Amino acid sequence: MLSNIYSRGMQLVIVFLLLFMSNANAQSKKFNYDWEFVGREFASEAKIDSFRRLGANWNDQFMTEKTNVGDAAQGLGIPSLKDEMASLKGMKWQSVSLPHIAFPEPLVIIKPKEGIAYYQKQFTISPQLRGKRLSIEFEAAMQVSEVWFNNKYVGRFTGGYLPFEIDITDLAHYGANNKIVLKINNKANPVVPPGKPVEKLDFTYYSGIYRDVWLHVRSPLHITNAISANKVAGGGIFVTYPVVEKAKAVIEVQTHIQNQQQNQSSFTIEHELMDKNGKRVAFVSTPVNKLAGNTDHHYVQRINVANPSLWHPNHPNLYRLRTRVRSQQKVLDEQITRIGIRSFTITKDEGLMINGEPFHIAGTNRHQNYPYIGNALSDGANYRDAWLIKAAGMDAVRTGHYPPDPAFMDAADELGILIVNCIPGWQFLNQHPAFTEHVMQDIRHTIRRDRNHASVLLWEVSINEVYPPAEFRCRQAEVARSEWRGTKNFFTSGDSYFTKACYDVPHDDWNGDSGNRNNTTYPDNAFLIREYGDYEFGGGNSSTRQLRAAGEKGMLQQAWNFQWAHNKNQKYAPRAIGDLTWAFYDGIAGCMVGIEAWGVGDIFRIPKYGYYFFKSQQPVSVNPHLPFASGPVVFLATNWTEQSDPSKLVVYSNCEEVALYLNGKQVATQKPDSGPETGHGSASNKKLYFNGGNANRLLHPPFTFNLGQFKAGTLKAVGLIGGKVVKEHTVSTPGKLANLTLEAGINGMAFKADGDMIFVYARLSDAQQQLLWDCKLPVTLTVNGDAKLLSPAKVNAEAGIASFILKSGKTKGQVVINATTEGLKSKPFVLKIN
């Protein structure tokens, strides 16, 4: 049976490798297709210790565990592949492509699934590749992996959020079958951060090989992989910027070359800098270098750039750095590194300066999961997540609480999103030495993987909400700094409550923290408010946590909570370099049954009212570099039904004035809210609920209108600047169900072939296309074309929208989608796959 499966995939792989060889400069290819999978889920009767059982006291939300225990699986010898395969006898292997979740989850998770996932892939290596160095790199697998290649055990790789690479050169069969097998255990391992059992974790590990896999083919003389090289502040290509000025910049490039052959090699290293249009900006080349066999060396060159186009969140200019290794005019290796020339400085008195100019952060946190498929997102899905965040006017993302997909980092570079890059961890500290070394390894690997990204502002090297001794924290900072070249543009950050540590930018270090984590251990440092808007309103029972199904009242409550906290936070600037909401998208937590509704966008990436509050804080002028995230904003935060409060009708806008009309008649024209700053509010404190205050420090306060009484019909809000209309938004009282329409969450990137993933939304509306916010009808979707559903084909609408996930196949073309509900059918929706 298995031999038949193998032979069916053989021809595709041979063709793949021949195509690979046809391009002399191609060094890497995705290795995502023609995998097989079988999984064995653990049985568990464990119950969830839900946050809903906790009180509203801030300290109740901290469940930090401390232990001192090793890894029971370590030191058991080399596992037998024969025994592993024997244990799977009778189980059916499935053909899968990557990224892949081993154990798909329902929308509402009762207990996150844990188990052992097996993956295997058979392929042929062309004889033409003999003499090359071959390796397979996994961007991530959750979270302890045992790997065999051609029946030989090649290692145990721990950690679910960072890459690992295996060299298959010496084990490869040329012109014959090769097989790689992985056994992956996603259960929490006490020495592998985060380490905490999933039933006590405020997010979910999920499962499988959930990021891309790459086949690398290199010359014996080549540029190394930054992580696999295992060199402090070295390996691969490392780009720094010793001089950044408007008139000139100096780029310093360190290149690590390895000679994996017996004889000495002679070669040159070329660096060609190209602008966004592909035009050469600068070029440097080394003299002829000589490197002895089986040795390696770092080479450093400087590139001078006149009048550089600097990278900044408001104009994220990027260059491409092409690095070539030549020997006798033959290109042995080539890599392209996308870079952004910029400088960061952070001080208590000036706050954050980017390229010598002040910049104040308004940002958020992001968990990477989708419903049903967990963390197994396509590169396009990661880009769309970043696009929607930037489109909300936010300019920073903390990757709580682990390094994100490389595709998300690429999107942040391109879109102008500052990154606070976190190591894995959450409220768990193991005093066992193996855990400590894993923490330090995560710091090194995170920096080595992401150090060339223009977007990285802070390296969060602490374990989130864990308070080890100062010596431990200082070692974290020391390890991080040892991985950097020079002293510029590098800042560590982390939790520092109660104890003086060694971070450059501590978190939440100010007097007046509503969570009573107040300390003054860093009087001379700037700080970052790294989470706000959720826990100060009730922790696990926070009134900020509102599903879209909560309707207008819930959406307004959440938005007001964010407004109140964001307004308060501004008084700490510039010492507080900015603030980050918790969080942008709703998520799933292992310690809680259901969806954590903390986001300004729901888990299906549909904006809530809070999204438009933040979007209204952006400048009113159009930024030509960011056309999707700039310009005038007007948003009526109402469904305009009998449940609406006409005495507190809120409009989010960045305009000078807003005129409000009801059924064509002008009701009022108002300036922004200017009411008083009030105390801490909650859903139960009606006096502090949208009172027209708590906006005195906002860039663009909301507009709160009093209509006196509800009258069905159409509301229109008109944004005015200089007395001229620049933006409008209308909302009508919904009628009866009349339409079922489909749309796709393109969000800045076309739906691509080759395993892309996109949300498809079925909207239930009245005859005037007004969304029916109270509609919960089931909707069934059918798909015709080279794409498949990753979500159920039949789902209930939430607040008038039924959401589905679609994954593309390998071919470009069109997919035709239809939807039906009770007595209603959509028009065919044609989605192009590019």
Side-chain angles (χ1 to χ4, degrees), residues 52-53 73 122 134 137 203 243 249 341 344 368 433 513 610 638 671 740 754 772 776 789 828 833:
R52 291 184 178 131
R53 299 178 186 173
Q122 179 166 304
L134 309 179
E137 182 180 12
F203 51 96
V243 178
I341 302 171
F344 300 138
Q368 63 190 8
D513 183 344
T638 181
K671 298 283 187 181
L740 176 60
D754 205 27
L772 302 182
K776 304 176 183 178
L789 284 170
I833 301 179

PDB file of all heavy atoms in Angstrom, residues 52-53 73 122 134 137 203 243 249 341 344 368 433 513 610 638 671 740 754 772 776 789 828 833:
ATOM      1  N   ARG A  52     -12.804  31.943  33.764  1.00  0.00           N
ATOM      2  CA  ARG A  52     -14.109  32.411  34.224  1.00  0.00           C
ATOM      3  C   ARG A  52     -14.334  32.098  35.692  1.00  0.00           C
ATOM      4  O   ARG A  52     -15.223  32.644  36.315  1.00  0.00           O
ATOM      5  CB  ARG A  52     -15.212  31.774  33.380  1.00  0.00           C
ATOM      6  CG  ARG A  52     -15.220  32.293  31.938  1.00  0.00           C
ATOM      7  CD  ARG A  52     -16.382  31.723  31.151  1.00  0.00           C
ATOM      8  NE  ARG A  52     -16.408  32.263  29.810  1.00  0.00           N
ATOM      9  CZ  ARG A  52     -16.537  31.523  28.713  1.00  0.00           C
ATOM     10  NH1 ARG A  52     -16.638  30.220  28.815  1.00  0.00           N
ATOM     11  NH2 ARG A  52     -16.571  32.081  27.532  1.00  0.00           N
ATOM     12  N   ARG A  53     -13.527  31.225  36.226  1.00  0.00           N
ATOM     13  CA  ARG A  53     -13.643  30.911  37.650  1.00  0.00           C
ATOM     14  C   ARG A  53     -12.862  31.892  38.510  1.00  0.00           C
ATOM     15  O   ARG A  53     -12.953  31.859  39.725  1.00  0.00           O
ATOM     16  CB  ARG A  53     -13.114  29.496  37.906  1.00  0.00           C
ATOM     17  CG  ARG A  53     -13.893  28.416  37.151  1.00  0.00           C
ATOM     18  CD  ARG A  53     -13.262  27.065  37.418  1.00  0.00           C
ATOM     19  NE  ARG A  53     -13.902  26.030  36.603  1.00  0.00           N
ATOM     20  CZ  ARG A  53     -13.470  24.777  36.521  1.00  0.00           C
ATOM     21  NH1 ARG A  53     -12.393  24.426  37.206  1.00  0.00           N
ATOM     22  NH2 ARG A  53     -14.084  23.897  35.778  1.00  0.00           N
ATOM     23  N   ALA A  73      11.862  12.304  28.509  1.00  0.00           N
ATOM     24  CA  ALA A  73      12.199  11.611  27.265  1.00  0.00           C
ATOM     25  C   ALA A  73      13.675  11.747  26.904  1.00  0.00           C
ATOM     26  O   ALA A  73      14.169  11.042  26.021  1.00  0.00           O
ATOM     27  CB  ALA A  73      11.349  12.163  26.124  1.00  0.00           C
ATOM     28  N   GLN A 122       8.642  10.895   0.608  1.00  0.00           N
ATOM     29  CA  GLN A 122       9.605  10.183  -0.227  1.00  0.00           C
ATOM     30  C   GLN A 122       9.866  11.019  -1.472  1.00  0.00           C
ATOM     31  O   GLN A 122       8.946  11.591  -2.053  1.00  0.00           O
ATOM     32  CB  GLN A 122       9.079   8.803  -0.616  1.00  0.00           C
ATOM     33  CG  GLN A 122      10.047   8.025  -1.502  1.00  0.00           C
ATOM     34  CD  GLN A 122       9.691   6.568  -1.607  1.00  0.00           C
ATOM     35  OE1 GLN A 122       9.584   5.883  -0.603  1.00  0.00           O
ATOM     36  NE2 GLN A 122       9.522   6.083  -2.822  1.00  0.00           N
ATOM     37  N   LEU A 134      23.286  19.412   0.656  1.00  0.00           N
ATOM     38  CA  LEU A 134      21.834  19.353   0.683  1.00  0.00           C
ATOM     39  C   LEU A 134      21.340  19.408   2.123  1.00  0.00           C
ATOM     40  O   LEU A 134      21.883  18.736   2.997  1.00  0.00           O
ATOM     41  CB  LEU A 134      21.327  18.064   0.034  1.00  0.00           C
ATOM     42  CG  LEU A 134      21.873  17.722  -1.357  1.00  0.00           C
ATOM     43  CD1 LEU A 134      21.290  16.409  -1.830  1.00  0.00           C
ATOM     44  CD2 LEU A 134      21.573  18.825  -2.358  1.00  0.00           C
ATOM     45  N   GLU A 137      15.178  22.412   5.771  1.00  0.00           N
ATOM     46  CA  GLU A 137      14.933  23.337   6.879  1.00  0.00           C
ATOM     47  C   GLU A 137      13.442  23.415   7.177  1.00  0.00           C
ATOM     48  O   GLU A 137      12.626  23.618   6.271  1.00  0.00           O
ATOM     49  CB  GLU A 137      15.459  24.729   6.555  1.00  0.00           C
ATOM     50  CG  GLU A 137      15.271  25.723   7.692  1.00  0.00           C
ATOM     51  CD  GLU A 137      15.806  27.111   7.375  1.00  0.00           C
ATOM     52  OE1 GLU A 137      16.119  27.379   6.203  1.00  0.00           O
ATOM     53  OE2 GLU A 137      15.898  27.930   8.310  1.00  0.00           O
ATOM     54  N   PHE A 203      -2.772  30.705  25.731  1.00  0.00           N
ATOM     55  CA  PHE A 203      -2.921  30.536  24.293  1.00  0.00           C
ATOM     56  C   PHE A 203      -2.848  29.044  24.039  1.00  0.00           C
ATOM     57  O   PHE A 203      -2.932  28.252  24.988  1.00  0.00           O
ATOM     58  CB  PHE A 203      -1.879  31.331  23.482  1.00  0.00           C
ATOM     59  CG  PHE A 203      -0.443  31.145  23.881  1.00  0.00           C
ATOM     60  CD1 PHE A 203       0.377  30.236  23.221  1.00  0.00           C
ATOM     61  CD2 PHE A 203       0.113  31.901  24.899  1.00  0.00           C
ATOM     62  CE1 PHE A 203       1.709  30.076  23.566  1.00  0.00           C
ATOM     63  CE2 PHE A 203       1.451  31.753  25.259  1.00  0.00           C
ATOM     64  CZ  PHE A 203       2.246  30.841  24.594  1.00  0.00           C
ATOM     65  N   VAL A 243      26.181  54.274  10.232  1.00  0.00           N
ATOM     66  CA  VAL A 243      25.879  55.676   9.936  1.00  0.00           C
ATOM     67  C   VAL A 243      24.548  55.740   9.202  1.00  0.00           C
ATOM     68  O   VAL A 243      24.379  55.080   8.169  1.00  0.00           O
ATOM     69  CB  VAL A 243      26.973  56.336   9.074  1.00  0.00           C
ATOM     70  CG1 VAL A 243      26.589  57.786   8.743  1.00  0.00           C
ATOM     71  CG2 VAL A 243      28.325  56.290   9.779  1.00  0.00           C
ATOM     72  N   ALA A 249      24.438  57.201   4.180  1.00  0.00           N
ATOM     73  CA  ALA A 249      24.350  56.070   5.099  1.00  0.00           C
ATOM     74  C   ALA A 249      25.489  55.120   4.808  1.00  0.00           C
ATOM     75  O   ALA A 249      26.004  55.057   3.680  1.00  0.00           O
ATOM     76  CB  ALA A 249      23.010  55.350   4.950  1.00  0.00           C
ATOM     77  N   ILE A 341      17.123  50.850   5.620  1.00  0.00           N
ATOM     78  CA  ILE A 341      18.121  51.678   6.292  1.00  0.00           C
ATOM     79  C   ILE A 341      17.396  52.581   7.279  1.00  0.00           C
ATOM     80  O   ILE A 341      16.538  53.385   6.883  1.00  0.00           O
ATOM     81  CB  ILE A 341      18.908  52.520   5.270  1.00  0.00           C
ATOM     82  CG1 ILE A 341      19.579  51.612   4.238  1.00  0.00           C
ATOM     83  CG2 ILE A 341      19.939  53.392   5.967  1.00  0.00           C
ATOM     84  CD1 ILE A 341      20.205  52.360   3.071  1.00  0.00           C
ATOM     85  N   PHE A 344      17.397  53.815  15.236  1.00  0.00           N
ATOM     86  CA  PHE A 344      16.542  53.954  16.409  1.00  0.00           C
ATOM     87  C   PHE A 344      17.378  54.469  17.578  1.00  0.00           C
ATOM     88  O   PHE A 344      18.495  53.991  17.801  1.00  0.00           O
ATOM     89  CB  PHE A 344      15.940  52.607  16.827  1.00  0.00           C
ATOM     90  CG  PHE A 344      15.082  51.925  15.799  1.00  0.00           C
ATOM     91  CD1 PHE A 344      15.183  50.555  15.596  1.00  0.00           C
ATOM     92  CD2 PHE A 344      14.172  52.643  15.052  1.00  0.00           C
ATOM     93  CE1 PHE A 344      14.385  49.915  14.667  1.00  0.00           C
ATOM     94  CE2 PHE A 344      13.369  52.009  14.103  1.00  0.00           C
ATOM     95  CZ  PHE A 344      13.475  50.646  13.913  1.00  0.00           C
ATOM     96  N   GLN A 368      -1.135  34.318  16.479  1.00  0.00           N
ATOM     97  CA  GLN A 368      -1.082  33.969  15.064  1.00  0.00           C
ATOM     98  C   GLN A 368      -2.161  32.984  14.620  1.00  0.00           C
ATOM     99  O   GLN A 368      -2.223  32.645  13.442  1.00  0.00           O
ATOM    100  CB  GLN A 368       0.289  33.373  14.752  1.00  0.00           C
ATOM    101  CG  GLN A 368       0.566  32.084  15.503  1.00  0.00           C
ATOM    102  CD  GLN A 368       2.001  31.608  15.386  1.00  0.00           C
ATOM    103  OE1 GLN A 368       2.856  32.297  14.866  1.00  0.00           O
ATOM    104  NE2 GLN A 368       2.269  30.414  15.878  1.00  0.00           N
ATOM    105  N   PRO A 433      18.345  23.348  34.821  1.00  0.00           N
ATOM    106  CA  PRO A 433      19.311  23.972  33.907  1.00  0.00           C
ATOM    107  C   PRO A 433      18.957  23.831  32.432  1.00  0.00           C
ATOM    108  O   PRO A 433      19.262  24.723  31.627  1.00  0.00           O
ATOM    109  CB  PRO A 433      20.623  23.241  34.238  1.00  0.00           C
ATOM    110  CG  PRO A 433      20.451  22.748  35.631  1.00  0.00           C
ATOM    111  CD  PRO A 433      19.000  22.439  35.780  1.00  0.00           C
ATOM    112  N   ASP A 513      -0.065  52.224  37.790  1.00  0.00           N
ATOM    113  CA  ASP A 513      -0.537  51.014  37.124  1.00  0.00           C
ATOM    114  C   ASP A 513      -1.737  50.466  37.893  1.00  0.00           C
ATOM    115  O   ASP A 513      -1.641  50.154  39.079  1.00  0.00           O
ATOM    116  CB  ASP A 513       0.605  50.002  37.093  1.00  0.00           C
ATOM    117  CG  ASP A 513       0.257  48.719  36.357  1.00  0.00           C
ATOM    118  OD1 ASP A 513      -0.927  48.469  36.127  1.00  0.00           O
ATOM    119  OD2 ASP A 513       1.184  47.985  36.011  1.00  0.00           O
ATOM    120  N   GLY A 610     -14.076  48.867  17.955  1.00  0.00           N
ATOM    121  CA  GLY A 610     -12.779  49.330  18.433  1.00  0.00           C
ATOM    122  C   GLY A 610     -11.767  49.511  17.312  1.00  0.00           C
ATOM    123  O   GLY A 610     -10.885  50.377  17.383  1.00  0.00           O
ATOM    124  N   THR A 638     -22.935  52.216  15.478  1.00  0.00           N
ATOM    125  CA  THR A 638     -24.311  51.848  15.841  1.00  0.00           C
ATOM    126  C   THR A 638     -24.878  50.913  14.792  1.00  0.00           C
ATOM    127  O   THR A 638     -24.476  50.942  13.615  1.00  0.00           O
ATOM    128  CB  THR A 638     -25.199  53.090  15.962  1.00  0.00           C
ATOM    129  OG1 THR A 638     -26.527  52.691  16.349  1.00  0.00           O
ATOM    130  CG2 THR A 638     -25.279  53.860  14.664  1.00  0.00           C
ATOM    131  N   LYS A 671     -18.240  69.546  17.107  1.00  0.00           N
ATOM    132  CA  LYS A 671     -16.804  69.398  17.245  1.00  0.00           C
ATOM    133  C   LYS A 671     -16.538  68.101  18.024  1.00  0.00           C
ATOM    134  O   LYS A 671     -17.450  67.507  18.610  1.00  0.00           O
ATOM    135  CB  LYS A 671     -16.223  70.589  18.006  1.00  0.00           C
ATOM    136  CG  LYS A 671     -16.416  71.932  17.319  1.00  0.00           C
ATOM    137  CD  LYS A 671     -15.444  72.109  16.179  1.00  0.00           C
ATOM    138  CE  LYS A 671     -15.530  73.536  15.620  1.00  0.00           C
ATOM    139  NZ  LYS A 671     -14.586  73.716  14.474  1.00  0.00           N
ATOM    140  N   LEU A 740     -28.289  37.278   0.475  1.00  0.00           N
ATOM    141  CA  LEU A 740     -27.147  36.501   0.928  1.00  0.00           C
ATOM    142  C   LEU A 740     -26.024  36.758  -0.066  1.00  0.00           C
ATOM    143  O   LEU A 740     -26.105  36.351  -1.230  1.00  0.00           O
ATOM    144  CB  LEU A 740     -27.492  35.010   0.994  1.00  0.00           C
ATOM    145  CG  LEU A 740     -26.364  34.048   1.366  1.00  0.00           C
ATOM    146  CD1 LEU A 740     -25.799  34.353   2.747  1.00  0.00           C
ATOM    147  CD2 LEU A 740     -26.851  32.593   1.306  1.00  0.00           C
ATOM    148  N   ASP A 754      -0.986  27.630  -4.848  1.00  0.00           N
ATOM    149  CA  ASP A 754       0.081  27.011  -4.060  1.00  0.00           C
ATOM    150  C   ASP A 754      -0.170  27.071  -2.564  1.00  0.00           C
ATOM    151  O   ASP A 754       0.718  27.368  -1.773  1.00  0.00           O
ATOM    152  CB  ASP A 754       1.434  27.651  -4.397  1.00  0.00           C
ATOM    153  CG  ASP A 754       2.603  26.714  -4.106  1.00  0.00           C
ATOM    154  OD1 ASP A 754       2.406  25.491  -4.140  1.00  0.00           O
ATOM    155  OD2 ASP A 754       3.714  27.219  -3.843  1.00  0.00           O
ATOM    156  N   LEU A 772     -27.799  42.292   8.894  1.00  0.00           N
ATOM    157  CA  LEU A 772     -28.707  41.901   9.973  1.00  0.00           C
ATOM    158  C   LEU A 772     -27.887  41.401  11.161  1.00  0.00           C
ATOM    159  O   LEU A 772     -27.496  40.232  11.234  1.00  0.00           O
ATOM    160  CB  LEU A 772     -29.675  40.816   9.489  1.00  0.00           C
ATOM    161  CG  LEU A 772     -30.533  41.188   8.270  1.00  0.00           C
ATOM    162  CD1 LEU A 772     -31.486  40.059   7.930  1.00  0.00           C
ATOM    163  CD2 LEU A 772     -31.314  42.472   8.529  1.00  0.00           C
ATOM    164  N   LYS A 776     -28.608  34.673  13.029  1.00  0.00           N
ATOM    165  CA  LYS A 776     -27.739  33.557  13.387  1.00  0.00           C
ATOM    166  C   LYS A 776     -27.990  32.324  12.514  1.00  0.00           C
ATOM    167  O   LYS A 776     -27.608  31.217  12.870  1.00  0.00           O
ATOM    168  CB  LYS A 776     -27.961  33.177  14.851  1.00  0.00           C
ATOM    169  CG  LYS A 776     -27.763  34.315  15.842  1.00  0.00           C
ATOM    170  CD  LYS A 776     -28.103  33.870  17.252  1.00  0.00           C
ATOM    171  CE  LYS A 776     -27.985  35.029  18.234  1.00  0.00           C
ATOM    172  NZ  LYS A 776     -28.369  34.619  19.612  1.00  0.00           N
ATOM    173  N   LEU A 789     -12.263  23.735   1.311  1.00  0.00           N
ATOM    174  CA  LEU A 789     -12.600  24.354   2.584  1.00  0.00           C
ATOM    175  C   LEU A 789     -11.782  23.744   3.717  1.00  0.00           C
ATOM    176  O   LEU A 789     -11.646  22.516   3.811  1.00  0.00           O
ATOM    177  CB  LEU A 789     -14.089  24.185   2.885  1.00  0.00           C
ATOM    178  CG  LEU A 789     -15.045  25.087   2.106  1.00  0.00           C
ATOM    179  CD1 LEU A 789     -16.492  24.643   2.312  1.00  0.00           C
ATOM    180  CD2 LEU A 789     -14.884  26.537   2.534  1.00  0.00           C
ATOM    181  N   PRO A 828     -23.625  33.341  -7.706  1.00  0.00           N
ATOM    182  CA  PRO A 828     -22.285  32.728  -7.741  1.00  0.00           C
ATOM    183  C   PRO A 828     -21.202  33.793  -7.543  1.00  0.00           C
ATOM    184  O   PRO A 828     -21.254  34.873  -8.133  1.00  0.00           O
ATOM    185  CB  PRO A 828     -22.222  32.111  -9.142  1.00  0.00           C
ATOM    186  CG  PRO A 828     -23.650  31.896  -9.536  1.00  0.00           C
ATOM    187  CD  PRO A 828     -24.416  33.028  -8.923  1.00  0.00           C
ATOM    188  N   ILE A 833      -7.811  32.916  -8.536  1.00  0.00           N
ATOM    189  CA  ILE A 833      -6.569  32.432  -7.930  1.00  0.00           C
ATOM    190  C   ILE A 833      -5.427  32.835  -8.839  1.00  0.00           C
ATOM    191  O   ILE A 833      -5.354  32.428  -9.998  1.00  0.00           O
ATOM    192  CB  ILE A 833      -6.594  30.903  -7.745  1.00  0.00           C
ATOM    193  CG1 ILE A 833      -7.765  30.473  -6.870  1.00  0.00           C
ATOM    194  CG2 ILE A 833      -5.287  30.419  -7.132  1.00  0.00           C
ATOM    195  CD1 ILE A 833      -7.870  28.976  -6.664  1.00  0.00           C
TER     196      ILE A 833
END
